[in-house]
Amino acid sequence: MIRLWKALINSINGLGWALRYETAVREEVIAFAICFPASFFVAPTLAWWLALVGSLLVLIVVELLNTAVEKLSDHVTLEHSQAIKVVKDLGSAAVLLALTLAFLVWGSALAVRFF
């Protein structure tokens, strides 16, 4: 139980840091806070609700991982490095795909619900 408690504290600390210092994380958490209540009205079924909420959680997870990769890359070297640029670009691409997934899921759910 102590290990789980410490892991929870570390996770809360990480999320708190990201919310304080990373604009993209803040924006996505705000979007989640707005969309979560809306999901109860948009989702026609429980499965759709899980997809709506899940797509937003996946987006936040990918953004947190991308932030971790960027911070580690900056720690490794402050000088320009083509290899680190590729790593950061790959993280950015992952965020783009997660964002695309969220838009597709929400757009589909809205279409099913209202059209």
Side-chain angles (χ1 to χ4, degrees):
M1 280 310 272
I2 292 173
R3 186 185 67 76
L4 290 175
W5 178 253
K6 287 181 180 181
L8 174 64
I9 296 302
N10 289 339
S11 299
I12 291 169
N13 289 340
L15 188 54
W17 185 93
L19 288 169
R20 279 190 305 278
Y21 299 107
E22 288 297 316
T23 303
V25 173
R26 272 195 307 275
E27 291 169 348
E28 290 161 3
V29 169
I30 289 168
F32 181 84
I34 293 168
C35 292
F36 182 76
S39 68
F40 292 103
F41 300 102
V42 172
T45 66
L46 177 61
W48 273 107
W49 182 82
L50 288 171
L52 290 170
V53 173
S55 68
L56 295 174
L57 289 174
V58 165
L59 175 60
I60 295 169
V61 167
V62 172
E63 186 67 59
L64 289 168
L65 291 171
N66 181 51
T67 298
V69 167
E70 287 185 357
K71 294 303 169 195
L72 179 59
S73 297
D74 291 343
H75 180 72
V76 169
T77 181
L78 294 176
E79 297 175 14
H80 177 75
S81 164
Q82 185 60 33
I84 288 184
K85 180 188 181 313
V86 170
V87 169
K88 288 183 172 187
D89 289 349
L90 289 170
S92 180
V95 172
L96 175 65
L97 292 177
L99 187 59
T100 301
L101 172 65
F103 275 117
L104 288 173
V105 169
W106 276 82
S108 298
L110 287 166
V112 166
R113 180 75 164 140
F114 297 109
F115 298 109

